[in-house]
Amino acid sequence: SRISGVGGRMSEIAGMKVLVTGAHGFVGGHLVERLIGLGAQVVGLDLRAEMASYLTMSGALERIEPVVADIADPDAMSATFEEHQPEVVFHVAAQAEVGLALEEPLTTFDANVRGTYVTLECARRAWDGTHGPRAMVTASSDKAYGQHQSLPYREDDELLGQYPYDVSKACADMIARGYHVAFGLPVAVTRCANIYGPGDMRFSRIIPGTMRSLLRGERPIIRSDGKPLRDYMYVSDAVDGYLRLAEALLDGQAAGQAYNFGTGDPVSVLEIFSEMIDVADSPDLAPEILGEASREL
């Protein structure tokens, strides 16, 4: 899908109260930093006040109103909406590790599914059609599509996620869009490709994990057989997409829709490894291919 007829409205975010859930997350931290630069009054919500994250490293933490809360706690989230009265909401908090979702599915469903519907319900109660959140962007993932024969994904492709992380994102995706259909909430959904860039502290992910191994002089490990095709996008491009979608919602467009963000040019895991080995000038550190992660496509 395309967001059409949008332009110039992001200046309106200056002075707006903006809630970002998952502010200490990789994307959340970059999003907060950009919003501050645009002049927004940012409320950054996470499970902890301080932690090792891009938000902390960038210094953006010192320029926001921090809130410590669990997105799956209705009372805490209701209090957050009541106290801060955000005009724009970016719901990017999630349990974002595919491997961990296989080990702890209940934790994943609690964060990604319950956390989403609790946040949406609090936004719905705060919004009366004229007051409350005027735009809400909720993060899904291209993993919600599961496995399809043709790539890149299209927004009208069926959501075929089968494993815990994929299913949790598919559920959150449908719930968010349903809140627009049922209640008129001005919410839209992002389905991002694999996002990479500075400040990603989750070294189980392919790009930061591989680069750390190469810098240490260690052979990087591929958990799969290296053949799965995925799309990879730089974090600042993802933030551009989030902001553009919020802009569209503020302009009265895009509500109830889902949008793919990516390059549209999927590549294999082995290709990514090859490029990173070249960049690191480490031709002797060929990856160790385990071929064990068939459920982490």
Side-chain angles (χ1 to χ4, degrees), residues 27 31 90-92 137-140 190-192 195 237-247 261:
V27 175
L31 183 57
F90 292 95
H91 177 51
V92 294
V137 178
T138 297
S140 179
T190 65
R191 296 173 184 160
C192 288
I195 302 171
D237 295 326
V239 170
D240 286 343
Y242 274 93
L243 294 172
R244 185 166 174 81
L245 186 50
E247 179 183 359
F261 294 160

Side-chain angles (χ1 to χ4, degrees), residues 62-178:
E62 306 302 321
R63 302 174 63 188
I64 67 172
E65 297 179 67
V67 172
V68 178
D70 183 347
I71 56 171
D73 182 340
D75 292 337
M77 292 304 293
S78 179
T80 298
F81 274 83
E82 183 175 347
E83 177 180 354
H84 296 283
Q85 300 182 10
E87 297 170 81
V88 178
V89 178
F90 292 95
H91 177 51
V92 294
Q95 192 301 95
E97 295 191 46
V98 177
L100 182 60
L102 288 165
E103 298 172 6
E104 300 182 12
L106 293 183
T107 300
T108 299
F109 292 139
D110 197 43
N112 296 358
V113 182
R114 178 179 171 85
T116 295
Y117 69 66
V118 166
T119 303
L120 286 162
E121 178 63 10
C122 291
R124 180 187 75 84
R125 293 180 179 181
W127 186 76
D128 63 5
T130 56
H131 299 90
R134 296 169 50 197
M136 183 171 182
V137 178
T138 297
S140 179
S141 167
D142 66 353
K143 283 189 174 294
Y145 287 112
Q147 297 185 55
H148 285 262
Q149 294 301 313
S150 61
L151 294 174
Y153 302 116
R154 296 174 54 87
E155 284 88 347
D156 56 1
D157 285 341
E158 189 176 358
L159 302 184
L160 299 176
Q162 295 179 313
Y163 299 112
Y165 178 78
D166 313 353
V167 169
S168 75
K169 283 300 186 179
C171 289
D173 191 311
M174 295 177 66
I175 291 168
R177 289 181 287 121

Side-chain angles (χ1 to χ4, degrees), residues 206 222 225-228 267-275 287 289:
I206 178 174
I222 298 179
D225 61 6
K227 296 179 181 179
V267 296
S268 72
V269 173
L270 285 174
E271 289 177 275
I272 289 292
F273 270 87
S274 178
E275 290 192 25
I289 302 174

Side-chain angles (χ1 to χ4, degrees), residues 185-241:
L185 191 69
V187 58
V189 173
T190 65
R191 296 173 184 160
C192 288
N194 277 12
I195 302 171
Y196 69 94
D200 188 352
M201 307 295 289
R202 296 191 181 274
F203 294 104
S204 62
R205 292 173 176 157
I206 178 174
I207 291 180
T210 298
M211 188 55 68
R212 183 174 69 169
S213 294
L214 294 173
L215 291 173
R216 289 176 171 179
E218 302 168 351
R219 289 181 65 189
I221 294 174
I222 298 179
R223 295 192 300 271
S224 69
D225 61 6
K227 296 179 181 179
L229 294 174
R230 294 300 308 279
D231 194 346
Y232 297 84
M233 68 184 304
Y234 193 63
V235 64
S236 63
D237 295 326
V239 170
D240 286 343

Side-chain angles (χ1 to χ4, degrees), residues 22-30 46 51 53-55 199 202:
H24 276 296
F26 171 45
V27 175
H30 280 271
D46 215 300
M51 59 184 293
S53 67
Y54 183 78
L55 182 69
R202 296 191 181 274

